[in-house]
Amino acid sequence: MSRLSAGDRLRRMLELVPWVMSQGGAELNEVAQRFDYPEAELREDLVRVLFVVGLHPFTPDELIYVMGLDEEDNGGWVAISNADYFSRPLRLTPGQALGLIGAGEALLSGGEPEGPLSRGLAKLTDGLGVSVGEDLAISLGESADEWVEPLLSAATGRRQVRIRYFSFGRGQESDRVIHPLRVFSEMGNWYVQGHCQQAGGVRVFRIDRIRSLEVLAAHFDPPAETGAPSAFEARETDPRVVLRLAPGASWAIERYPTEEQVVLDSGEIDVTMPVSQISRLERLLLQLGTEAELQHSDPPVAADQARLVAQRVLDRYK
Amino acid sequence: MAARPRRKPEQVRLERLLRLIAALIETSRFLSIEELHKRVGIARGEDSAGYPENEAAAKRAFHRDMNELADAGIPVISGPVPGQERETWGYRIRKQDYSLPEMDFEADELAALHRAATAVRFDGVSGSEALWKLGGRVGEGTDAELAAVPVHPALADLFQAVTEQRVADFAYGGQPRSVEPWTLAFDQGHWYVVGHDRGRDDKRTFRVDRIEGDVALGSPGGFEQPEGTAGWVPFQPWKFGTGPAVAARLRVDPDQAVWAARRLGQEPAEKESDGSAVFEVVVRSPDAFRSLVLEFLEHAEILGPPELRADMVAWLEGIGT
């Protein structure tokens, strides 16, 4: 642990003093653990710093009382009093309130049932005067995904699962056994990242495309490191395409990862992007219509890919 | 008592900072720098907390301390010191600004909030830090991160604006906007702020990541929010537009029907004998509807009305020709 600065000590002291006061005293090691304050440092700062803090003119009755500890490293229990000005914790910053309420609300929207989280969140929002769903509305994705919870517990318990999965790219269902590593939400959808036995590698699956799921008895060993999950993880081997977009059409690629964007004198933009699934490129080409032109790809896809897929869709209308 | 080694410099500084905060809270008026120096004390020797005797050095040390307090989020306010012949600026902390409201958490509630804060990561703002103020970290948290929510620099300011009814001024689309913000929402991977745009005198939705530069906040209670305006309508862009409402019929292949129902947020109106699903969708933005239908590639087809169907055919025929 690196050395605590005066600012770190200050923040933690202002957090732990109100708690110890409200408890009427506490075990030193519990205080250290709750407030992430190395115990030896905490003991010293209580005995040699807080004990001499007080109000002018610093007569004994104006100093904070720190009881239960002494300078000889005795005592495992501490009580604090005569510090009314430090008896309440500091209010939350807007960022801290947003982070905590947002995290709680996001998890509830993911399907967590009524329980300690909703009770704790209600106390927090009542206390801070925030209306959940009105002031702040957070959706990490459709909450209808019944598989989020079982996948999460399988990931935590290192249990293999068998899924029947609909691959949008191939347009067909297949059975797979996966080792779920992480469950996460991105761009409004829930995903599970896991090692797929059939594919022989780590893949990302969209949870709303799982048709059925069975948690198996078999466990798995977690891999060393899988890196941060991303639904749009590009692999080295993915084809790269260059699309030329009409001026003002860059909105279309906001939800896709791009590796390079070059704005031409004409205002058009050349965008280089990895294509992990051909269907994803096809969808983009159809939605952009005449606003996009395929410039180049490596390895090549058909130069008239856009026309080919448009024709496939048009066949339905003939 | 055995002689103890000297305290570390950061411990001496901690003592001075704690004394300064105590002095700033325990006053009913603004205190001048000189008064604060006196109330915090003068340092005599390396192990003694307080301000240097030299006036210029003491002032510098005081301003360093004020920055440290600001970094810690301590609300120091300034104003004129009463009873002075020459106007003198002073400082204080109001207890009601400083203190967290009473919230009595059970241990399992703190543990659940801890788990949530570690499961959902807000880049840049830390919900975990908040937990220390609520009574410390209880339980293990989780190492299975469920989601990372992107955070824009203006987000905390906008959240404060919403919860304290402050008017927010910012640039958007190259135009200055003055907005009474009602709701902050995260949907489909993006943050939005909904509110009353004063310049346009109408309700508007802004994407937070398209706000240009900083957000300037007005005073608390700067506007009254009309009843029934709060909340967020999930983002389904085909439902929003300036055009008239059109009832479109969309057929989706059997193996994509479940997914389509989720995407549309509604159940099919009928099932055909081959298992295809037919949805009746209210469309106000034909362009957004076309984009939606094209997500399904050749697995979906607009059945009607004829003008939407013709529009789709014309769009597809224009591609690659």
Side-chain angles (χ1 to χ4, degrees):
Chain A
M1 169 118 203
S2 61
R3 193 162 149 176
L4 290 177
S5 71
D8 296 334
R9 286 166 203 263
L10 175 67
R11 272 179 279 261
R12 284 168 214 215
M13 202 54 89
L14 294 178
E15 288 153 356
L16 70 89
V17 170
W19 186 74
V20 173
M21 289 178 77
S22 73
Q23 302 293 304
E27 295 295 330
L28 192 65
N29 59 9
E30 193 192 347
V31 182
Q33 199 180 5
R34 268 187 181 244
F35 295 92
D36 200 16
Y37 212 128
E39 190 173 331
E41 300 265 353
L42 175 62
R43 176 188 291 275
E44 253 196 66
D45 288 356
L46 288 172
V47 175
R48 303 192 70 198
V49 180
L50 190 69
F51 190 59
V52 288
V53 168
L55 297 173
H56 188 75
F58 308 109
T59 48
D61 61 314
E62 292 289 7
L63 297 182
I64 295 176
Y65 302 158
V66 179
M67 290 157 290
L69 304 173
D70 67 22
E71 292 227 12
E72 307 300 322
D73 290 348
N74 294 316
W77 181 87
V78 62
I80 299 168
S81 63
N82 208 33
D84 285 351
Y85 36 87
F86 292 149
S87 63
R88 288 297 303 152
L90 191 54
R91 63 174 185 172
L92 303 184
T93 65
Q96 288 170 341
L98 171 66
L100 189 58
I101 296 172
E105 200 187 325
L107 215 54
L108 283 177
S109 81
E112 174 127 333
E114 294 278 313
L117 181 59
S118 55
R119 276 189 277 117
L121 194 61
K123 283 184 187 175
L124 184 63
T125 52
D126 284 355
L128 299 179
V130 173
S131 320
V132 168
E134 294 188 355
D135 290 346
L136 184 66
I138 295 191
S139 166
L140 293 183
E142 293 303 317
S143 58
D145 299 324
E146 54 192 308
W147 309 127
V148 170
E149 277 297 321
L151 280 168
L152 188 59
S153 57
T156 316
R158 309 276 183 222
R159 295 272 294 273
Q160 301 184 14
V161 296
R162 176 181 291 121
I163 58 171
R164 186 156 185 82
Y165 186 71
F166 177 74
S167 164
F168 211 69
R170 296 200 191 84
Q172 62 190 32
E173 288 185 0
S174 59
D175 281 317
R176 296 152 181 268
V177 172
I178 63 169
H179 305 170
L181 302 171
R182 284 196 187 85
V183 178
F184 65 99
S185 160
E186 191 171 290
M187 294 296 189
N189 291 300
W190 284 93
Y191 299 86
V192 56
Q193 180 195 40
H195 178 91
C196 173
Q197 290 185 354
Q198 281 65 31
V202 173
R203 295 286 184 272
V204 172
F205 302 93
R206 253 179 78 156
I207 292 180
D208 64 356
R209 303 231 178 93
I210 294 175
R211 274 304 148 71
S212 63
L213 176 148
E214 182 191 354
V215 179
L216 304 175
H219 286 74
F220 64 87
D221 295 324
E225 185 46 58
T226 50
S230 169
F232 299 125
E233 216 154 14
R235 284 184 291 269
E236 279 301 302
T237 51
D238 286 341
R240 262 55 176 178
V241 302
V242 180
L243 289 184
R244 178 161 298 171
L245 302 179
S250 59
W251 58 266
I253 49 163
E254 275 168 359
R255 294 177 63 169
Y256 293 85
T258 59
E259 293 181 341
E260 201 185 348
Q261 299 192 18
V262 180
V263 180
L264 308 178
D265 289 341
S266 60
E268 295 170 310
I269 309 167
D270 276 357
V271 189
T272 307
M273 55 200 303
V275 179
S276 57
Q277 286 181 330
I278 194 76
S279 58
R280 191 170 282 164
L281 174 65
E282 289 179 339
R283 220 168 281 137
L284 191 56
L285 288 170
L286 286 184
Q287 290 173 334
L288 280 163
T290 54
E291 307 249 272
E293 201 182 321
L294 188 61
Q295 292 292 301
H296 172 76
S297 72
D298 178 33
V301 299
D304 58 349
Q305 190 72 31
R307 193 187 57 76
L308 293 174
V309 64
Q311 192 56 52
R312 274 187 1 237
V313 182
L314 267 176
D315 285 347
R316 285 202 73 136
Y317 290 82
K318 294 292 146 85
Chain B
M1 191 173 74
R4 295 287 301 252
R6 279 195 176 152
R7 299 186 297 177
K8 300 185 191 99
E10 55 268 32
Q11 291 178 313
V12 177
R13 178 101 192 278
L14 172 65
E15 185 188 338
R16 189 173 80 197
L17 290 167
L18 288 169
R19 281 189 185 183
L20 175 61
I21 296 167
L24 285 165
I25 292 178
E26 286 294 316
T27 176
S28 51
R29 63 172 178 86
F30 292 107
L31 297 172
S32 69
I33 296 183
E34 291 71 25
E35 287 173 307
L36 283 164
H37 285 173
K38 196 173 160 209
R39 292 191 183 201
V40 171
I42 305 296
R44 309 199 186 278
E46 268 183 45
D47 200 16
S48 161
Y51 289 104
E53 279 199 279
N54 175 292
E55 199 183 324
K59 268 201 169 143
R60 281 199 302 276
F62 176 76
H63 287 296
R64 269 205 308 281
D65 285 356
M66 294 301 269
N67 286 336
E68 192 74 56
L69 265 47
D71 285 350
I74 295 169
V76 181
I77 54 171
S78 57
V81 180
Q84 300 282 312
E85 284 177 22
R86 223 160 38 104
E87 191 182 63
T88 309
W89 219 239
Y91 303 88
R92 64 175 293 198
I93 296 169
R94 287 188 308 199
K95 241 179 187 155
Q96 69 267 31
D97 295 344
Y98 178 96
S99 300
L100 187 73
E102 291 279 354
M103 290 178 271
D104 212 5
F105 291 103
E106 305 292 332
D108 65 338
E109 294 163 356
L110 276 184
L113 286 170
H114 186 192
R115 198 163 66 86
T118 47
V120 182
R121 179 165 53 82
F122 278 60
D123 300 317
V125 298
S126 174
S128 299
E129 276 174 32
L131 283 164
W132 277 320
K133 293 179 178 171
L134 303 182
R137 292 189 182 180
V138 177
E140 287 300 304
T142 173
D143 57 1
E145 184 178 291
L146 284 182
V149 175
V151 168
H152 185 268
L155 208 57
D157 287 339
L158 288 169
F159 181 61
Q160 187 178 13
V162 168
T163 54
E164 297 176 3
Q165 281 93 48
R166 294 171 184 258
V167 173
D169 288 304
F170 51 82
Y172 194 87
Q175 305 274 328
R177 308 283 184 137
S178 190
V179 176
E180 300 172 1
W182 298 336
T183 299
L184 195 60
F186 183 75
D187 197 8
Q188 298 285 314
H190 293 291
W191 284 101
Y192 300 86
V193 60
V194 187
H196 180 80
D197 184 328
R198 289 184 161 180
R200 282 143 193 85
D201 193 25
D202 201 2
K203 179 181 171 176
R204 286 284 188 279
T205 299
F206 303 93
R207 246 180 72 170
V208 173
D209 60 343
R210 294 205 180 130
I211 289 176
E212 297 145 10
D214 291 334
V215 175
L217 299 188
S219 314
F223 62 90
E224 293 247 347
Q225 183 168 341
E227 284 291 314
T229 52
W232 173 251
V233 179
F235 202 59
Q236 296 182 318
W238 58 91
K239 288 185 180 167
F240 302 99
T242 47
V246 175
R249 286 171 63 79
L250 179 70
R251 180 195 282 142
V252 180
D253 283 355
D255 54 8
Q256 308 236 351
V258 177
W259 186 62
R262 289 184 184 172
R263 185 74 182 87
L264 290 161
Q266 62 186 75
E267 290 303 310
E270 55 189 89
K271 286 261 174 151
E272 299 189 334
S273 56
D274 69 345
S276 294
V278 177
F279 295 89
E280 286 183 356
V281 187
V282 176
V283 175
R284 280 201 172 78
S285 166
D287 289 354
F289 183 61
R290 184 185 60 228
S291 263
L292 167 77
V293 175
L294 289 172
E295 285 178 20
F296 296 89
L297 298 174
E298 68 268 41
H299 304 293
E301 175 185 356
I302 300 173
L303 299 175
E307 58 272 23
L308 279 186
R309 194 176 156 90
D311 172 63
M312 175 64 94
V313 169
W315 176 267
L316 290 167
E317 283 176 345
I319 293 176
T321 54

